Amino acid sequence: MNLAGRGDGFAQFWRERHLCTLTTVRPDGTAHVVPVGATLDPETGIARVITSGGSRKAVLVAQGATKVALCQVDGRRWSTLEGEAVVRREPEQVADAERRYTARYRPPRPNPERVVLEIRVTRVLGNV
């Protein structure tokens, strides 16, 4: 999904420094919602979340809970990206996600267990 057509306001909102929430679904059907830092590439429609490979969110996605929602809110402005997630462990994928994270937030702390949750956006909700 090419999100570039959603306009500059949308792209800018996803470049501003905001914390997000990531929602995955546990095997019992309940929601697992956690705060995360995330980046979005509007041209490719890919959002990325860096995390430890043993984190619950990474384990859930690796076990097949691939339908996720990534949301950020700033006052009355909000955006939710729904999509399909995969776990990426390749060093070049992790390094790319770390560069993107650094550009939006700050350099992440060292973590040799780091993986990337790569989310292919399939639906956008919100008012930006």
Side-chain angles (χ1 to χ4, degrees):
M1 173 178 276
N2 183 334
L3 302 175
R6 295 194 67 90
D8 292 337
F10 176 82
Q12 179 59 36
F13 186 60
W14 279 97
R15 283 191 301 268
E16 295 169 5
R17 189 181 193 284
H18 299 292
L19 289 179
C20 303
T21 60
L22 178 71
T23 303
T24 54
V25 181
R26 296 181 186 102
D28 68 2
T30 59
H32 178 256
V33 184
V34 294
V36 296
T39 61
L40 175 66
D41 181 347
E43 297 296 325
T44 63
I46 300 290
R48 293 170 179 83
V49 173
I50 58 174
T51 188
S52 188
S55 69
R56 185 68 175 141
K57 58 189 162 288
V59 170
L60 285 169
V61 170
Q63 291 176 342
T66 60
K67 296 201 183 299
V68 301
L70 183 64
C71 181
Q72 70 178 16
V73 177
D74 179 42
R76 298 183 74 145
R77 300 182 309 152
W78 66 279
S79 180
T80 297
L81 309 175
E82 295 179 353
E84 297 277 336
V86 295
V87 178
R88 299 279 187 220
R89 300 176 188 281
E90 302 90 343
E92 62 276 3
Q93 297 287 343
V94 173
D96 176 59
E98 289 173 335
R99 281 190 295 276
R100 293 171 188 269
Y101 183 95
T102 297
R104 186 172 189 197
Y105 299 102
R106 63 174 185 243
R109 65 177 173 74
N111 180 354
E113 303 300 318
R114 181 164 290 131
V115 298
V116 180
L117 300 184
E118 186 180 276
I119 303 161
R120 182 163 305 281
V121 178
T122 57
R123 184 174 181 197
V124 178
L125 305 163
N127 63 8
V128 294

Short mmCIF file of all heavy atoms in Angstrom, two decimals, residues 38-91:
data_model
loop_
_atom_site.label_atom_id
_atom_site.label_comp_id
_atom_site.label_asym_id
_atom_site.label_seq_id
_atom_site.Cartn_x
_atom_site.Cartn_y
_atom_site.Cartn_z
N ALA A 38 7.91 3.48 16.71
CA ALA A 38 7.67 2.90 15.39
C ALA A 38 8.06 3.89 14.31
O ALA A 38 8.09 5.10 14.54
CB ALA A 38 6.21 2.52 15.24
N THR A 39 8.35 3.36 13.14
CA THR A 39 8.63 4.20 11.99
C THR A 39 7.75 3.74 10.84
O THR A 39 7.30 2.59 10.80
CB THR A 39 10.11 4.12 11.57
OG1 THR A 39 10.43 2.78 11.20
CG2 THR A 39 11.01 4.61 12.69
N LEU A 40 7.50 4.65 9.91
CA LEU A 40 6.68 4.35 8.75
C LEU A 40 7.36 4.85 7.49
O LEU A 40 7.84 5.99 7.45
CB LEU A 40 5.30 5.01 8.89
CG LEU A 40 4.38 4.88 7.67
CD1 LEU A 40 3.98 3.42 7.44
CD2 LEU A 40 3.15 5.76 7.84
N ASP A 41 7.38 4.02 6.48
CA ASP A 41 7.83 4.42 5.14
C ASP A 41 6.58 4.53 4.28
O ASP A 41 6.04 3.52 3.83
CB ASP A 41 8.79 3.37 4.58
CG ASP A 41 9.31 3.73 3.20
OD1 ASP A 41 8.76 4.65 2.56
OD2 ASP A 41 10.27 3.09 2.75
N PRO A 42 6.06 5.75 4.08
CA PRO A 42 4.82 5.91 3.31
C PRO A 42 4.92 5.40 1.88
O PRO A 42 3.92 4.96 1.31
CB PRO A 42 4.56 7.42 3.33
CG PRO A 42 5.32 7.94 4.49
CD PRO A 42 6.53 7.04 4.60
N GLU A 43 6.10 5.46 1.28
CA GLU A 43 6.26 5.03 -0.11
C GLU A 43 6.01 3.53 -0.28
O GLU A 43 5.42 3.10 -1.26
CB GLU A 43 7.65 5.39 -0.63
CG GLU A 43 7.93 6.88 -0.67
CD GLU A 43 7.04 7.63 -1.65
OE1 GLU A 43 6.70 7.07 -2.71
OE2 GLU A 43 6.68 8.78 -1.34
N THR A 44 6.49 2.75 0.67
CA THR A 44 6.35 1.29 0.57
C THR A 44 5.19 0.75 1.39
O THR A 44 4.81 -0.41 1.22
CB THR A 44 7.64 0.59 1.05
OG1 THR A 44 7.85 0.90 2.44
CG2 THR A 44 8.84 1.00 0.21
N GLY A 45 4.65 1.57 2.29
CA GLY A 45 3.57 1.10 3.16
C GLY A 45 4.04 0.13 4.21
O GLY A 45 3.29 -0.72 4.67
N ILE A 46 5.31 0.29 4.63
CA ILE A 46 5.89 -0.59 5.64
C ILE A 46 6.15 0.20 6.92
O ILE A 46 6.82 1.23 6.89
CB ILE A 46 7.22 -1.21 5.17
CG1 ILE A 46 7.02 -2.05 3.90
CG2 ILE A 46 7.87 -2.03 6.28
CD1 ILE A 46 6.26 -3.32 4.10
N ALA A 47 5.62 -0.29 8.04
CA ALA A 47 5.92 0.25 9.36
C ALA A 47 6.88 -0.73 10.04
O ALA A 47 6.84 -1.94 9.77
CB ALA A 47 4.66 0.42 10.18
N ARG A 48 7.72 -0.20 10.91
CA ARG A 48 8.71 -1.04 11.59
C ARG A 48 8.73 -0.74 13.08
O ARG A 48 8.66 0.42 13.48
CB ARG A 48 10.10 -0.80 11.01
CG ARG A 48 10.26 -1.28 9.59
CD ARG A 48 11.57 -0.81 8.98
NE ARG A 48 11.74 -1.30 7.63
CZ ARG A 48 11.20 -0.71 6.55
NH1 ARG A 48 10.49 0.40 6.68
NH2 ARG A 48 11.39 -1.23 5.35
N VAL A 49 8.88 -1.80 13.86
CA VAL A 49 9.03 -1.71 15.31
C VAL A 49 10.25 -2.54 15.67
O VAL A 49 10.32 -3.72 15.30
CB VAL A 49 7.78 -2.25 16.04
CG1 VAL A 49 8.01 -2.30 17.55
CG2 VAL A 49 6.55 -1.41 15.71
N ILE A 50 11.22 -1.94 16.35
CA ILE A 50 12.36 -2.72 16.82
C ILE A 50 12.04 -3.22 18.22
O ILE A 50 11.39 -2.53 19.01
CB ILE A 50 13.68 -1.93 16.78
CG1 ILE A 50 13.61 -0.66 17.62
CG2 ILE A 50 14.07 -1.61 15.34
CD1 ILE A 50 14.94 0.09 17.72
N THR A 51 12.50 -4.43 18.51
CA THR A 51 12.21 -5.03 19.81
C THR A 51 13.18 -6.19 20.04
O THR A 51 13.92 -6.60 19.13
CB THR A 51 10.75 -5.53 19.87
OG1 THR A 51 10.45 -5.95 21.21
CG2 THR A 51 10.49 -6.66 18.90
N SER A 52 13.17 -6.73 21.20
CA SER A 52 13.98 -7.90 21.51
C SER A 52 13.27 -9.14 20.96
O SER A 52 12.04 -9.24 20.99
CB SER A 52 14.15 -8.02 23.02
OG SER A 52 15.07 -9.04 23.33
N GLY A 53 14.06 -10.07 20.43
CA GLY A 53 13.49 -11.28 19.85
C GLY A 53 12.66 -12.11 20.81
O GLY A 53 11.76 -12.83 20.39
N GLY A 54 12.94 -12.00 22.10
CA GLY A 54 12.18 -12.76 23.09
C GLY A 54 10.98 -12.03 23.67
O GLY A 54 10.29 -12.56 24.54
N SER A 55 10.73 -10.81 23.20
CA SER A 55 9.58 -10.05 23.72
C SER A 55 8.29 -10.77 23.35
O SER A 55 8.21 -11.50 22.36
CB SER A 55 9.57 -8.63 23.16
OG SER A 55 9.27 -8.65 21.77
N ARG A 56 7.27 -10.55 24.14
CA ARG A 56 5.98 -11.21 23.90
C ARG A 56 5.44 -10.86 22.52
O ARG A 56 4.91 -11.71 21.81
CB ARG A 56 4.99 -10.84 25.01
CG ARG A 56 3.69 -11.56 24.92
CD ARG A 56 3.87 -13.05 25.20
NE ARG A 56 2.58 -13.69 25.22
CZ ARG A 56 2.35 -14.89 24.71
NH1 ARG A 56 3.33 -15.58 24.20
NH2 ARG A 56 1.16 -15.41 24.74
N LYS A 57 5.57 -9.58 22.12
CA LYS A 57 5.05 -9.17 20.81
C LYS A 57 5.75 -9.90 19.68
O LYS A 57 5.12 -10.35 18.73
CB LYS A 57 5.09 -7.66 20.64
CG LYS A 57 6.47 -7.02 20.77
CD LYS A 57 6.34 -5.51 20.80
CE LYS A 57 7.57 -4.84 21.36
NZ LYS A 57 7.73 -5.02 22.79
N ALA A 58 7.08 -10.04 19.77
CA ALA A 58 7.83 -10.74 18.73
C ALA A 58 7.47 -12.23 18.72
O ALA A 58 7.31 -12.82 17.64
CB ALA A 58 9.33 -10.56 18.93
N VAL A 59 7.34 -12.82 19.88
CA VAL A 59 6.98 -14.24 19.97
C VAL A 59 5.59 -14.47 19.39
O VAL A 59 5.36 -15.41 18.62
CB VAL A 59 7.08 -14.74 21.42
CG1 VAL A 59 6.47 -16.12 21.58
CG2 VAL A 59 8.54 -14.73 21.88
N LEU A 60 4.63 -13.60 19.72
CA LEU A 60 3.27 -13.75 19.19
C LEU A 60 3.27 -13.69 17.66
O LEU A 60 2.64 -14.52 17.00
CB LEU A 60 2.34 -12.68 19.76
CG LEU A 60 1.90 -12.89 21.20
CD1 LEU A 60 1.22 -11.64 21.75
CD2 LEU A 60 0.97 -14.10 21.31
N VAL A 61 3.98 -12.71 17.10
CA VAL A 61 4.03 -12.60 15.64
C VAL A 61 4.70 -13.82 15.04
O VAL A 61 4.22 -14.40 14.06
CB VAL A 61 4.72 -11.29 15.20
CG1 VAL A 61 4.98 -11.29 13.71
CG2 VAL A 61 3.88 -10.08 15.60
N ALA A 62 5.82 -14.26 15.62
CA ALA A 62 6.52 -15.44 15.12
C ALA A 62 5.65 -16.69 15.17
O ALA A 62 5.77 -17.58 14.32
CB ALA A 62 7.82 -15.65 15.90
N GLN A 63 4.75 -16.75 16.15
CA GLN A 63 3.87 -17.91 16.30
C GLN A 63 2.61 -17.81 15.45
O GLN A 63 1.75 -18.67 15.53
CB GLN A 63 3.49 -18.09 17.77
CG GLN A 63 4.65 -18.53 18.63
CD GLN A 63 4.29 -18.63 20.11
OE1 GLN A 63 3.29 -18.08 20.57
NE2 GLN A 63 5.11 -19.33 20.86
N GLY A 64 2.49 -16.73 14.67
CA GLY A 64 1.36 -16.65 13.74
C GLY A 64 0.34 -15.57 14.01
O GLY A 64 -0.61 -15.43 13.25
N ALA A 65 0.52 -14.79 15.07
CA ALA A 65 -0.40 -13.68 15.35
C ALA A 65 0.04 -12.48 14.50
O ALA A 65 0.56 -11.49 15.01
CB ALA A 65 -0.40 -13.33 16.84
N THR A 66 -0.16 -12.59 13.20
CA THR A 66 0.42 -11.62 12.29
C THR A 66 -0.46 -10.40 12.04
O THR A 66 0.04 -9.40 11.53
CB THR A 66 0.74 -12.28 10.93
OG1 THR A 66 -0.47 -12.80 10.38
CG2 THR A 66 1.75 -13.41 11.12
N LYS A 67 -1.72 -10.46 12.37
CA LYS A 67 -2.59 -9.29 12.20
C LYS A 67 -2.39 -8.36 13.39
O LYS A 67 -2.61 -8.76 14.54
CB LYS A 67 -4.03 -9.72 12.07
CG LYS A 67 -4.27 -10.54 10.82
CD LYS A 67 -5.71 -10.55 10.42
CE LYS A 67 -5.97 -11.42 9.23
NZ LYS A 67 -5.31 -11.07 8.03
N VAL A 68 -1.94 -7.14 13.11
CA VAL A 68 -1.59 -6.20 14.17
C VAL A 68 -2.18 -4.83 13.87
O VAL A 68 -2.61 -4.55 12.75
CB VAL A 68 -0.05 -6.07 14.33
CG1 VAL A 68 0.57 -7.43 14.65
CG2 VAL A 68 0.58 -5.46 13.10
N ALA A 69 -2.18 -3.99 14.90
CA ALA A 69 -2.58 -2.59 14.75
C ALA A 69 -1.54 -1.74 15.47
O ALA A 69 -1.14 -2.03 16.60
CB ALA A 69 -3.96 -2.35 15.34
N LEU A 70 -1.11 -0.69 14.77
CA LEU A 70 -0.13 0.25 15.31
C LEU A 70 -0.81 1.61 15.36
O LEU A 70 -1.32 2.09 14.35
CB LEU A 70 1.08 0.29 14.37
CG LEU A 70 2.26 1.16 14.75
CD1 LEU A 70 2.91 0.66 16.04
CD2 LEU A 70 3.27 1.16 13.61
N CYS A 71 -0.85 2.21 16.54
CA CYS A 71 -1.61 3.44 16.72
C CYS A 71 -0.77 4.50 17.39
O CYS A 71 0.06 4.20 18.26
CB CYS A 71 -2.84 3.15 17.58
SG CYS A 71 -3.91 4.58 17.87
N GLN A 72 -0.98 5.76 16.99
CA GLN A 72 -0.38 6.88 17.71
C GLN A 72 -1.41 7.99 17.82
O GLN A 72 -2.25 8.18 16.94
CB GLN A 72 0.91 7.36 17.08
CG GLN A 72 0.81 8.05 15.77
CD GLN A 72 2.18 8.52 15.28
OE1 GLN A 72 3.23 8.10 15.77
NE2 GLN A 72 2.18 9.42 14.34
N VAL A 73 -1.30 8.73 18.94
CA VAL A 73 -2.25 9.79 19.27
C VAL A 73 -1.47 11.02 19.71
O VAL A 73 -0.49 10.91 20.44
CB VAL A 73 -3.18 9.34 20.42
CG1 VAL A 73 -4.13 10.45 20.82
CG2 VAL A 73 -3.94 8.09 20.05
N ASP A 74 -1.94 12.16 19.27
CA ASP A 74 -1.41 13.44 19.74
C ASP A 74 -2.60 14.38 19.89
O ASP A 74 -3.05 14.98 18.90
CB ASP A 74 -0.38 14.00 18.76
CG ASP A 74 0.17 15.35 19.22
OD1 ASP A 74 0.45 15.48 20.43
OD2 ASP A 74 0.32 16.25 18.38
N GLY A 75 -3.12 14.48 21.10
CA GLY A 75 -4.32 15.28 21.32
C GLY A 75 -5.47 14.73 20.51
O GLY A 75 -5.80 13.56 20.62
N ARG A 76 -6.04 15.56 19.65
CA ARG A 76 -7.17 15.12 18.83
C ARG A 76 -6.72 14.43 17.54
O ARG A 76 -7.53 13.86 16.83
CB ARG A 76 -8.04 16.32 18.49
CG ARG A 76 -8.64 16.95 19.73
CD ARG A 76 -9.54 18.07 19.37
NE ARG A 76 -10.76 17.45 18.81
CZ ARG A 76 -11.96 17.93 18.98
NH1 ARG A 76 -12.15 19.02 19.66
NH2 ARG A 76 -13.00 17.33 18.45
N ARG A 77 -5.43 14.51 17.22
CA ARG A 77 -4.92 13.85 16.02
C ARG A 77 -4.57 12.40 16.35
O ARG A 77 -3.93 12.12 17.35
CB ARG A 77 -3.67 14.55 15.48
CG ARG A 77 -3.88 15.98 15.11
CD ARG A 77 -2.63 16.62 14.54
NE ARG A 77 -1.47 16.42 15.40
CZ ARG A 77 -0.21 16.39 14.97
NH1 ARG A 77 0.07 16.52 13.69
NH2 ARG A 77 0.78 16.22 15.82
N TRP A 78 -4.98 11.49 15.48
CA TRP A 78 -4.64 10.09 15.70
C TRP A 78 -4.59 9.35 14.37
O TRP A 78 -5.18 9.78 13.38
CB TRP A 78 -5.61 9.41 16.65
CG TRP A 78 -7.02 9.28 16.12
CD1 TRP A 78 -7.99 10.25 16.12
CD2 TRP A 78 -7.60 8.14 15.49
NE1 TRP A 78 -9.13 9.77 15.54
CE2 TRP A 78 -8.93 8.47 15.15
CE3 TRP A 78 -7.13 6.87 15.19
CZ2 TRP A 78 -9.78 7.57 14.52
CZ3 TRP A 78 -7.99 5.96 14.57
CH2 TRP A 78 -9.30 6.33 14.25
N SER A 79 -3.86 8.24 14.38
CA SER A 79 -3.76 7.39 13.21
C SER A 79 -3.49 5.96 13.66
O SER A 79 -2.66 5.73 14.54
CB SER A 79 -2.61 7.87 12.31
OG SER A 79 -2.48 7.06 11.17
N THR A 80 -4.22 5.04 13.07
CA THR A 80 -4.00 3.62 13.31
C THR A 80 -3.68 2.96 11.98
O THR A 80 -4.37 3.17 10.99
CB THR A 80 -5.24 2.94 13.93
OG1 THR A 80 -5.49 3.52 15.21
CG2 THR A 80 -5.04 1.43 14.09
N LEU A 81 -2.62 2.18 11.99
CA LEU A 81 -2.21 1.40 10.83
C LEU A 81 -2.47 -0.07 11.14
O LEU A 81 -1.91 -0.61 12.09
CB LEU A 81 -0.73 1.60 10.53
CG LEU A 81 -0.23 3.05 10.44
CD1 LEU A 81 1.28 3.07 10.26
CD2 LEU A 81 -0.94 3.78 9.30
N GLU A 82 -3.33 -0.69 10.37
CA GLU A 82 -3.56 -2.12 10.51
C GLU A 82 -2.75 -2.84 9.45
O GLU A 82 -2.52 -2.29 8.36
CB GLU A 82 -5.04 -2.45 10.33
CG GLU A 82 -5.92 -1.87 11.42
CD GLU A 82 -7.38 -2.19 11.21
OE1 GLU A 82 -7.76 -2.77 10.15
OE2 GLU A 82 -8.17 -1.86 12.11
N GLY A 83 -2.31 -4.04 9.75
CA GLY A 83 -1.53 -4.76 8.75
C GLY A 83 -1.10 -6.13 9.19
O GLY A 83 -1.51 -6.64 10.22
N GLU A 84 -0.25 -6.70 8.34
CA GLU A 84 0.32 -8.03 8.54
C GLU A 84 1.78 -7.88 8.95
O GLU A 84 2.55 -7.23 8.25
CB GLU A 84 0.24 -8.84 7.26
CG GLU A 84 -1.16 -9.12 6.78
CD GLU A 84 -1.79 -10.32 7.47
OE1 GLU A 84 -1.05 -11.21 7.96
OE2 GLU A 84 -3.03 -10.36 7.53
N ALA A 85 2.14 -8.51 10.05
CA ALA A 85 3.51 -8.39 10.58
C ALA A 85 4.31 -9.67 10.37
O ALA A 85 3.76 -10.77 10.39
CB ALA A 85 3.46 -8.05 12.07
N VAL A 86 5.60 -9.48 10.19
CA VAL A 86 6.56 -10.58 10.16
C VAL A 86 7.74 -10.17 11.03
O VAL A 86 8.00 -8.98 11.23
CB VAL A 86 7.04 -10.93 8.73
CG1 VAL A 86 5.90 -11.44 7.88
CG2 VAL A 86 7.70 -9.74 8.08
N VAL A 87 8.46 -11.16 11.52
CA VAL A 87 9.67 -10.91 12.30
C VAL A 87 10.86 -11.01 11.35
O VAL A 87 11.03 -12.00 10.65
CB VAL A 87 9.82 -11.93 13.44
CG1 VAL A 87 11.11 -11.68 14.21
CG2 VAL A 87 8.62 -11.87 14.38
N ARG A 88 11.68 -9.96 11.33
CA ARG A 88 12.90 -9.93 10.53
C ARG A 88 14.10 -9.98 11.47
O ARG A 88 14.20 -9.19 12.40
CB ARG A 88 12.98 -8.65 9.69
CG ARG A 88 11.86 -8.49 8.72
CD ARG A 88 12.13 -9.31 7.48
NE ARG A 88 11.12 -9.01 6.48
CZ ARG A 88 10.56 -9.91 5.71
NH1 ARG A 88 10.93 -11.17 5.79
NH2 ARG A 88 9.65 -9.56 4.83
N ARG A 89 14.99 -10.91 11.19
CA ARG A 89 16.18 -11.09 12.02
C ARG A 89 17.47 -10.78 11.26
O ARG A 89 18.54 -10.76 11.85
CB ARG A 89 16.25 -12.52 12.55
CG ARG A 89 15.05 -12.89 13.39
CD ARG A 89 15.09 -14.35 13.83
NE ARG A 89 13.86 -14.73 14.47
CZ ARG A 89 13.53 -14.44 15.72
NH1 ARG A 89 14.39 -13.78 16.47
NH2 ARG A 89 12.37 -14.81 16.23
N GLU A 90 17.36 -10.56 9.94
CA GLU A 90 18.54 -10.34 9.13
C GLU A 90 19.27 -9.08 9.60
O GLU A 90 18.64 -8.04 9.81
CB GLU A 90 18.16 -10.18 7.66
CG GLU A 90 17.42 -11.36 7.07
CD GLU A 90 15.91 -11.26 7.22
OE1 GLU A 90 15.42 -10.46 8.04
OE2 GLU A 90 15.21 -12.00 6.53
N PRO A 91 20.60 -9.14 9.77
CA PRO A 91 21.35 -7.98 10.27
C PRO A 91 21.11 -6.70 9.46
O PRO A 91 20.99 -5.62 10.04
CB PRO A 91 22.81 -8.43 10.18
CG PRO A 91 22.74 -9.92 10.28
CD PRO A 91 21.47 -10.32 9.59
#
